[in-house]
């Protein structure tokens, strides 16, 4: 992501962006509910969601060159190498519909990816407004993954049924361990920049999404979700 000229902080384009169309990223362990919450943010704020997991699975299903390259890594529950995912995201971020705000789901996952994203956003004359980190205890995450597995499992069916290969118990545990190891420096990075919001994601979906919306409103000056009445 090197090479392109750096945009100036006070450029007119950046000043024109409305806070109701923020650039957001949702971080969280597998099973933390990050995709559910990213979908809700996307709907409520009317901004597209870019899920790197969904995009990669589509590449695998379509047997593209990228898909063939990452298939085994995904099935093992490991992270795709930074240079591979960064190149793909760099391409995806240039889609015109992502110009006016977006919510990233599943990216960045390592400090290297975060640094690469910062550079790319600067090249595009954008900057992340807020990074929302969903905090859910590991036991609860494992329980949710077991439920997801049971919901998708019918005798004799494989991954084509919609069941995710990477939800198998041993793979799920590996993914959580990888997440815990890789996310710590990433969280420090955003904390130091003052754009990290820690969100309690252990409770019901609706409560968590209210916290997410309140955090976004607080960070961007956008409209707040009204408090529950009476
Ligand atoms: P997800 O649906 O976000 O849990 O992603 C599913 C799988 O896709 C992950 O376990 C990784 O193998 C791969 N993947 C998705 N996003 C990334 C990323 N940012 N960095 C590396 N690998 C990723």
């Amino acid at each position: 992501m090197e090479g392109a000229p750096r945009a100036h902080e006070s450029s007119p384009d950046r000043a024109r962006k409305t806070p109701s169309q923020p650039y957001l990223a949702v971080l969280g362990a597998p099973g933390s509910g990050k995709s559910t919450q990213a979908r809700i943010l996307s709907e409520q704020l009317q901004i597209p969601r870019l899920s790197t997991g969904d995009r990669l699975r589509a590449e695998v299903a379509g047997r593209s060159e990228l898909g063939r390259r990452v298939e085994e890594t995904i099935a093992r529950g490991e992270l795709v190498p930074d240079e591979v995912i960064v190149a793909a995201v760099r391409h995806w971020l240039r889609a015109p519909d992502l110009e006016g705000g977006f919510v990233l789901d599943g990216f960045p996952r390592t400090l290297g990816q975060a640094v690469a994203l910062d550079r790319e956003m600067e090249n595009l004359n954008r900057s992340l407004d807020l990074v929302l980190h969903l905090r859910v205890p590991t036991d609860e995450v494992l329980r949710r993954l077991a439920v997801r597995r049971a919901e998708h499992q019918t005798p004799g069916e494989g991954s084509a049924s919609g069941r995710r290969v990477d939800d198998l118990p041993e793979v799920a545990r590996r993914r959580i361990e990888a997440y815990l190891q890789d996310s710590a420096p990433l969280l420090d990075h955003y904390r130091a920049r003052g754009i990290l919001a820690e969100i309690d994601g252990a409770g019901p979906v609706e409560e968590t999404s209210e916290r997410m919306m309140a955090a976004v409103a607080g960070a961007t000056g956008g409209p707040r979700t009204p408090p529950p009445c009476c």
Side-chain angles (χ1 to χ4, degrees):
M1 296 194 187
E2 313 276 6
R6 295 281 162 89
H8 193 271
E9 275 293 317
S10 61
S11 83
D13 277 354
R14 183 165 294 179
R16 257 205 314 270
K17 190 173 86 66
T18 62
S20 60
Q21 292 188 303
Y23 298 114
L24 306 173
V26 180
L27 310 181
S32 63
K34 72 180 159 48
S35 292
T36 302
Q37 293 300 333
R39 273 196 197 93
I40 295 173
L41 283 179
S42 162
E43 276 165 27
Q44 296 202 343
L45 298 168
Q46 304 264 293
I47 49 176
R49 161 180 162 266
L50 171 55
S51 157
T52 46
D54 283 357
R55 294 283 181 117
L56 291 176
R57 280 186 288 275
E59 297 286 335
V60 171
R63 307 299 303 153
S64 70
E65 193 188 328
L66 172 61
R68 289 197 303 272
R69 210 168 155 192
V70 300
E71 183 169 16
E72 285 185 12
T73 309
I74 293 179
R76 281 199 303 269
E78 292 168 6
L79 290 184
V80 168
D82 276 1
E83 64 274 17
V84 174
I85 190 74
V86 162
V89 167
R90 187 182 179 203
H91 173 70
W92 293 330
L93 278 183
R94 283 176 153 67
D97 66 320
L98 297 185
E99 266 172 33
F102 56 64
V103 50
L104 294 179
D105 171 2
F107 186 91
R109 281 237 221 327
T110 66
L111 183 58
Q113 292 179 18
V115 171
L117 177 63
D118 289 347
R119 285 207 199 110
E120 185 62 8
M121 291 292 278
E122 235 178 300
N123 289 341
L124 294 169
N125 195 27
R126 305 172 189 165
S127 69
L128 275 184
D129 292 292
L130 192 65
V131 175
L132 300 118
H133 178 225
L134 271 178
R135 280 199 174 277
V136 181
T138 302
D139 284 354
E140 171 63 10
V141 158
L142 285 169
R143 193 193 64 76
R144 289 181 189 178
L145 288 173
V147 170
R148 186 154 88 184
R149 225 166 27 243
E151 280 172 356
H152 289 297
Q153 200 163 15
T154 14
E157 280 186 332
S159 59
S161 68
R163 178 182 168 198
R164 287 175 50 159
V165 191
D166 56 359
D167 274 348
L168 295 170
E170 67 282 11
V171 180
R173 189 172 288 278
R174 226 172 10 244
R175 292 172 76 221
I176 293 167
E177 281 163 8
Y179 174 79
L180 293 173
Q181 189 179 328
D182 292 327
S183 64
L186 181 62
L187 298 175
D188 288 345
H189 174 76
Y190 289 123
R191 199 173 289 116
R193 281 185 49 190
I195 57 166
L196 180 71
E198 297 276 14
I199 308 288
D200 174 0
V205 170
E206 300 74 31
E207 279 176 22
T208 303
S209 76
E210 275 174 23
R211 289 189 194 106
M212 305 273 281
M213 283 299 287
V216 173
T220 62
R224 280 181 184 280
T225 314
C229 175
C230 323

